[in-house]
Each structure stands twice: as structure tokens, then as C-alpha cells.
Amino acid sequence: MQIIYRADSIIDANLVKLALENMGIPAYVSGEYLTGGVGDLPVCGLVNVMVSSVDIDRAKPVVEEISVALSVPVDPSDPRFLDDPLPSPG
């Protein structure tokens, strides 16, 4: 297996893994349990998504597309990102 994506978080890694699996590419998240050992400290470089060497070429475009989407800044005023998605009664 080879690393195809170095994740910033467990969430990012699992999003990439799910996208790859939806394309029929088996994927494995390595290091996701290591992050619990450091508590609240930020951790980098522990969580990776891995695929078989034979799937690297098919996986690269999927990973690149997700990487671009995850790097787009979020506008906090966008109503889709409100903590309370339900309208207030009244």
C-alpha cells in the first residue's frame, strides 16, 4: 500500500477514503488512532489515506479534486454553516 493523501484531520482522511471507495478503489486510513494519544494538542502528519499500488493512477484525480474542495475557505456568513439550522418559532 502507498500513501495517496496526507490528511490534516481524521475527518478529511475519512472523506477521501469514502470518495475513493465510492469509485471502487479500496482505501485504508492509517494513524487515525494515534491522534487520541496526544489529547488536545494539534497533530500533523499522523493520519494518511493509503491505496494499493495498482490503484494509484485511478486514485490521484479523486484525491486532487477533494484536496481542492477542502482548501476552499468557508465564508462564516454563509447561512449553510450556521450552528442552528432550524428557524426560530414565531
Side-chain angles (χ1 to χ4, degrees):
M1 300 207 69
Q2 292 186 355
I3 295 172
I4 189 75
Y5 181 75
R6 295 186 188 279
D8 290 333
S9 71
I10 296 170
I11 295 169
D12 291 354
N14 282 290
L15 286 172
V16 171
K17 177 183 183 253
L18 181 62
L20 289 167
E21 289 176 343
N22 284 336
M23 297 297 293
I25 303 169
Y28 173 76
V29 175
S30 68
E32 66 183 316
Y33 299 112
L34 295 174
T35 61
V38 294
D40 293 331
L41 298 173
V43 179
C44 298
L46 293 181
V47 183
N48 300 299
V49 179
M50 303 176 79
V51 297
S52 173
S53 300
V54 298
D55 292 322
I56 288 285
D57 291 334
R58 287 190 324 139
K60 280 183 182 178
V62 176
V63 171
E64 288 171 8
E65 184 177 343
I66 294 171
S67 293
V68 169
L70 289 174
S71 68
V72 173
V74 175
D75 179 2
S77 66
D78 188 331
R80 295 178 296 165
F81 300 105
L82 294 177
D83 289 338
D84 185 12
L86 301 174
S88 334

